[in-house]
């Protein structure tokens, strides 16, 4: 169930969603609150599971020997009577390779994001772990070739931001 938020809580959530590293004093100044009020709000939002965690977005392509293969897998499933899609999703999201899992509308039921060291590991995940599940009817795997934007952050923005008109003699 949802939690009713006041304007200050909503503003706090929007601020930390963009930058989870903003210190408490800066947040207090931005919200016109006392530091202890901000700390109490954050603690309450964490306890209510509104704030689920804090993360850092890293461009792993710039760090040698750390790149992972990312795949998006479309899955058609047969929901379990009386339990729907939730039971199937729970079995799938427990696999360590699964980074994200969504129930979708449209041509397939679930969208899974998987990370592994190689394409073969992704393939083994699909063939050895995902496809054998009783509820799984079919899968389609798409490999991510390049990230352009993720969570609102542009990867490798163009360095030449010179928008002046070219003049030639």
């Amino acid at each position: 169930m949802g939690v009713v938020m006041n304007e200050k809580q909503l503003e706090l959530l929007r601020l930390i969603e963009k930058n989870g590293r903003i210190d408490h004093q800066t947040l207090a100044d931005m919200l016109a609150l006392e530091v202890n009020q901000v700390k109490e709000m954050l603690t309450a939002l964490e306890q209510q599971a509104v704030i689920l965690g804090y993360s850092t977005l890293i461009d792993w392509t710039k760090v040698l020997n750390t790149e992972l293969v990312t795949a998006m897998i479309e899955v058609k499933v047969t929901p379990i009577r009386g339990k729907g899609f939730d039971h199937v999703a729970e079995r799938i999201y427990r696999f360590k390779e699964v980074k994200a899992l969504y129930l979708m509308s449209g041509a397939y039921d679930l969208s899974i994001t998987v990370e592994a060291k190689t394409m073969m590991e992704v393939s083994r995940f699909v063939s050895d772990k995902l496809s054998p599940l009783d509820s799984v009817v079919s899968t389609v795997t798409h490999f991510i070739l390049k990230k352009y934007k993720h969570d609102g952050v542009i990867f490798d923005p163009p360095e030449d931001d010179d928008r002046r008109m070219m003049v030639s003699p």
Side-chain angles (χ1 to χ4, degrees):
M1 293 304 225
V3 178
V4 176
M5 299 281 142
N6 64 41
E7 278 304 311
K8 292 291 183 182
Q9 290 170 315
L10 289 172
E11 193 173 348
L12 173 64
L13 291 172
R14 288 184 189 107
L15 288 169
I16 63 171
E17 183 179 38
K18 290 180 184 164
N19 182 358
R21 293 190 63 179
I22 300 176
D23 64 86
H24 294 150
Q25 181 62 57
T26 303
L27 286 169
D29 293 344
M30 294 171 87
L31 296 167
L33 296 171
E34 296 295 322
V35 173
N36 64 346
Q37 290 176 294
V38 169
K39 289 179 182 178
E40 289 171 7
M41 284 171 59
L42 288 169
T43 300
L45 292 166
E46 290 167 357
Q47 290 172 347
Q48 296 167 343
V50 172
I51 297 174
L52 299 175
Y54 301 87
S55 64
T56 302
L57 183 59
I58 298 170
D59 185 353
W60 287 107
T61 63
K62 294 184 178 167
V63 182
L64 294 177
N65 302 320
T66 59
E67 287 189 61
L68 294 173
V69 174
T70 304
M72 306 215 32
I73 306 170
E74 301 172 359
V75 184
K76 287 186 182 181
V77 298
T78 303
I80 295 174
R81 184 182 306 262
K83 297 181 182 180
F85 292 102
D86 294 346
H87 181 72
V88 178
E90 184 178 342
R91 290 195 61 197
I92 294 171
Y93 69 59
R94 294 194 182 280
F95 292 120
K96 67 178 176 50
E97 298 90 347
V98 175
K99 299 302 172 199
L101 174 62
Y102 305 99
L103 179 62
M104 305 297 290
S105 64
Y108 55 97
D109 303 306
L110 300 174
S111 175
I112 304 172
T113 303
V114 173
E115 287 183 349
K117 290 181 182 175
T118 65
M119 291 175 81
M120 185 54 73
E121 283 186 24
V122 173
S123 175
R124 277 194 217 106
F125 167 77
V126 174
S127 64
D128 299 349
K129 295 180 179 180
L130 185 60
S131 293
L133 295 176
D134 290 337
S135 298
V136 172
V137 175
S138 66
T139 66
V140 176
T141 302
H142 306 275
F143 287 96
I144 304 289
L145 301 178
K146 181 177 180 177
K147 285 184 186 177
Y148 291 102
K149 187 174 182 179
H150 182 82
D151 284 345
V153 177
I154 297 170
F155 285 63
D156 290 327
E159 290 180 25
D160 182 18
D161 200 25
D162 189 355
R163 297 173 191 250
R164 294 178 289 176
M165 186 184 334
M166 186 184 300
V167 178
S168 42

